[in-house]
Amino acid sequence: SPGTASEIVDGTNNGNASDSGAVWVPGELFVDELRGVTVAIVSEYDDGWVLSINPNTDVSVVKTANPSTGVAGELLTYNITVSNLGPGPATGVVVKDTLPAFTTYAQNTLGPSACTGPVAQVLTCTLPGTLAANTSKTFGIVVTVSPSIPLTNGTTTITNTVNVVAAQDDDPTSTNNNFSLTTLVVSKADLSLSKECKPDQPNTQPAGTSTFCEIYVDNPGISDAQNVVITDRIINSMPVTITAISSITTSGPPAVCLPATPISSPSGTTITCTDAVLPVGARDTIRITFTAATTGDVDDTASVSSATPDPDLGNNTAVGRVSFRGEADLSLNKTAASSVVAGMNLTYSLTVANAGPSSATNVVVTDALPAQVSFVSAVPSQGSCQAGVVPGDPTKPLKCALGTIANGAAASVAVIVKVNPDVPDGTILVNNGEVASSVTDPNNANNVKTVSTTVTTSANLEILKTADANTYKPNTTITYKVRVNNLGSSDAQNVTVVDTLPDLKQAIYSSNTNPGGCIFQAPKSLTCSLGKIATLTSKEFFIMLSVKGAQGTITNSVTVSSTTGDPVMSNNTASKDVTIKGGK
């Protein structure tokens, strides 16, 4: 106060050896508690200091995450930066960090005694010493993201909120005292699959006795694997019966495998096992037990996939084999056009070759035709093909018995199908073929062949327009008939007819004359939606106009279009001229 001396003491207690107690050092805070006077030493120059009397202290906080995208099961570091925007120094700075759910506190970089907790996921950290004006302090808080954090389509987000306060209760800006950071979390699970079939190769198993293949799926992490699917494709050239499938796991419920046993497999089958969650460090073990009545090979290829991203797919597949005996190596090759127009024929050319060393007897080719085609014919170079094929039904595929194929010889089958005219544009027709014989095949990997053909669509629409007369008197009704023909070869989808009505000032369109989906838009546009017109069929409707006064010759034009491609556009428009004369 005026005329009164104030005694102030060094409130920062900074321990500076050059500070003899009364020496002013930038960053110090001198306090007269009796009179409530505070002096902050802001900066020093050769000829003086910059002081702030009773200064405020504005602290703020921001944070970043490293890495910017977290991974379930890995460490995540939150780098927190506390700044003192001044003008006074900040003492007793306390940071409270609310850690996200499904994270576990690991450590901080301030030191083991600087932070306490977390309590209810809140970690409290006190910055040591004084934070001078216009300076910052950055430290890290390290957490572990749970490998079992719930994810949606392999990702989720976590939010970390931090708050900072100083011992001074005079922060002029509270909006920068809080900061929230949302971080994307992804998962990674490096699933690996291995398998073991007994007896080990090159040993053989006597026909008529049981043997097994065992599949091992491991998850070394770093995240839990969600929706694990284990697929085991068994291919055999002779009848095999799968008598049992067992499933065990080291953590949680075991995988569920289908179909149920016993399974009769004339030439091959696929077993699918599903496990909702395979935790980090867990293993699923699947054992498949089977028998074969005759000699031959059983090739077993297993693979594993998961909804959780897998950084290394090279270890997700394993093969095994049980040998009863190998004789004739049959292979199947199949070709077809890369594209076909809906409504047209498509030819599949199948070739069966025998690489030996023995002749293959009772060779049978099965061809599962796509559901979108109808069977036309199958002509083999030898043998015969089964009639009464049901397309798209894998239980009743096309079967061609080719008899015996000698070592080094080959046989072929030409299969012709017609693509249904209503197949949508862009549809991919998948055709699966397989060959087998009564003789053991040492390499079944080349016995299956798949070809794909893309369907395009083409509908040649033709529009015709007629009138019930060529000449009309005033005050009569003109009746136009519009007919749309689909000349093929595909069904025409979303057919639309646009009729540009005559430009007559007194023409009146009667909207109730066509209930087929026509919309009139003034002054003279009529749009009619006809939907689908199947190939080689037609649709027609009528348009009625009432006219007053002699108008002479008038022209009415109509156009048809479709979302299906049209190879001939010249017949998509039609016009009709009529004459209105006489009278008033």
Side-chain angles (χ1 to χ4, degrees):
S1 60
T4 304
S6 294
E7 180 181 359
I8 61 176
V9 296
D10 186 350
T12 62
N13 193 23
N14 58 15
N16 191 323
S18 65
D19 181 9
S20 59
V23 175
W24 288 353
V25 177
E28 286 190 314
L29 189 68
F30 290 87
V31 180
D32 181 353
E33 294 183 350
L34 179 61
R35 295 173 176 81
V37 178
T38 304
V39 179
I41 312 303
V42 179
S43 58
E44 180 181 6
Y45 297 90
D46 292 339
D47 58 349
W49 293 265
V50 174
L51 309 181
S52 179
I53 308 300
N54 293 333
N56 292 324
T57 302
D58 183 8
V59 291
S60 65
V61 64
V62 294
K63 67 165 34 182
T64 60
N66 185 25
S68 58
T69 299
V71 179
E74 285 190 339
L75 294 176
L76 178 66
T77 300
Y78 290 110
N79 293 310
I80 299 173
T81 299
V82 178
S83 300
N84 180 4
L85 306 180
T91 60
V93 178
V94 176
V95 174
K96 291 189 176 182
D97 193 59
T98 303
L99 305 180
F102 295 98
T103 64
T104 304
Y105 172 69
Q107 63 180 359
N108 71 84
T109 60
L110 280 176
S113 61
C115 299
T116 59
V119 176
Q121 289 296 96
V122 177
L123 184 70
T124 302
C125 301
T126 302
L127 271 61
T130 298
L131 186 63
N134 302 315
T135 62
S136 299
K137 173 69 175 179
T138 299
F139 66 98
I141 294 176
V142 184
V143 298
T144 301
V145 182
S146 171
S148 303
I149 186 171
L151 301 167
T152 301
N153 296 326
T155 66
T156 188
T157 56
I158 57 176
T159 300
N160 179 284
T161 302
V162 64
N163 168 266
V164 64
V165 295
Q168 297 92 328
D169 189 19
D170 56 1
D171 195 326
T173 306
S174 60
T175 56
N176 58 5
N177 289 46
N178 298 281
F179 191 90
S180 291
L181 178 67
T182 298
T183 304
L184 178 68
V185 174
V186 298
S187 58
K188 290 191 298 185
D190 183 16
L191 293 179
S192 64
L193 183 146
S194 59
K195 77 182 317 177
E196 182 179 27
C197 291
K198 295 295 184 179
D200 298 328
Q201 294 290 305
N203 299 316
T204 60
Q205 180 76 1
T209 60
S210 293
T211 187
F212 67 89
C213 289
E214 207 159 63
I215 303 169
Y216 312 103
V217 178
D218 296 284
N219 181 14
I222 50 180
S223 309
D224 292 356
Q226 308 288 333
N227 299 321
V228 177
V229 178
I230 305 160
T231 302
D232 193 32
R233 174 63 176 163
I234 299 173
I235 301 177
N236 42 281
S237 59
M238 69 294 187
V240 168
T241 300
I242 300 171
T243 58
I245 303 174
S246 64
S247 174
I248 60 174
T249 186
T250 59
S251 177
V256 177
C257 299
L258 293 173
T261 56
I263 304 169
S264 177
S265 172
S267 60
T269 191
T270 298
I271 297 168
T272 302
C273 304
T274 56
D275 190 352
V277 179
L278 186 61
V280 174
R283 164 179 279 197
D284 281 345
T285 302
I286 313 294
R287 173 177 284 199
I288 301 172
T289 304
F290 53 91
T291 62
T294 60
T295 59
D297 287 345
V298 178
D299 290 284
D300 194 353
T301 301
S303 61
V304 63
S305 63
S306 168
T308 302
D310 192 328
D312 180 14
L313 298 177
N315 55 2
N316 289 39
T317 303
V319 298
R321 176 183 293 174
V322 175
S323 295
F324 295 95
R325 187 175 300 152
E327 294 283 350
D329 181 12
L330 290 177
S331 63
L332 176 65
N333 188 37
K334 176 187 292 186
T335 59
S338 60
S339 64
V340 64
V341 177
M344 302 295 289
N345 285 352
L346 174 64
T347 299
Y348 294 108
S349 299
L350 292 77
T351 302
V352 178
N354 181 11
S358 304
S359 295
T361 58
N362 300 318
V363 177
V364 175
V365 171
T366 57
D367 195 23
L369 302 179
Q372 302 91 339
V373 305
S374 58
F375 175 76
V376 177
S377 65
V379 180
S381 62
Q382 64 182 59
S384 62
C385 291
Q386 174 187 342
V389 177
V390 180
D393 185 353
T395 64
K396 296 180 180 179
L398 170 66
K399 291 185 178 180
C400 295
L402 303 183
T404 299
I405 300 179
N407 179 22
S412 62
V413 182
V415 180
I416 300 176
V417 297
K418 182 177 181 179
V419 181
N420 297 336
D422 60 351
V423 177
D425 185 75
T427 300
I428 297 177
L429 304 178
V430 179
N431 182 283
N432 297 306
E434 190 168 342
V435 64
S437 77
S438 298
V439 177
T440 301
D441 192 326
N443 177 22
N444 284 304
N446 56 4
N447 288 35
V448 179
K449 184 67 175 180
T450 299
V451 294
S452 298
T453 300
T454 302
V455 176
T456 61
T457 55
S458 176
N460 180 8
L461 293 180
E462 176 189 55
I463 191 165
L464 304 173
K465 185 161 195 177
T466 59
D468 60 343
N470 292 322
T471 303
Y472 296 86
K473 294 181 178 180
N475 301 315
T476 59
T477 298
I478 305 173
T479 300
Y480 293 106
K481 181 172 76 172
V482 178
R483 179 184 177 91
V484 179
N485 300 320
N486 182 358
L487 305 181
S489 60
S490 308
D491 290 356
Q493 306 291 337
N494 304 312
V495 177
T496 301
V497 171
V498 177
D499 195 321
T500 304
L501 301 176
D503 189 11
L504 302 177
K505 293 182 179 179
Q506 299 186 44
I508 302 173
Y509 166 66
S510 180
S511 61
N512 62 359
T513 61
N514 176 41
C518 292
I519 298 175
F520 178 75
Q521 184 174 3
K524 57 179 181 176
S525 178
L526 183 67
T527 301
C528 301
S529 298
L530 304 187
K532 182 181 79 172
I533 300 181
T535 184
L536 303 182
T537 66
S538 302
K539 285 187 178 181
E540 62 182 29
F541 61 94
F542 296 90
I543 299 172
M544 298 178 183
L545 292 176
S546 296
V547 182
K548 294 182 179 180
Q551 302 292 328
T553 299
I554 62 173
T555 301
N556 184 212
S557 298
V558 65
T559 301
V560 66
S561 62
S562 167
T563 56
T564 303
D566 193 329
V568 180
M569 301 298 295
S570 59
N571 57 0
N572 287 39
T573 300
S575 296
K576 176 61 180 176
D577 293 338
V578 298
T579 302
I580 303 173
K581 62 182 180 179
K584 294 183 180 180

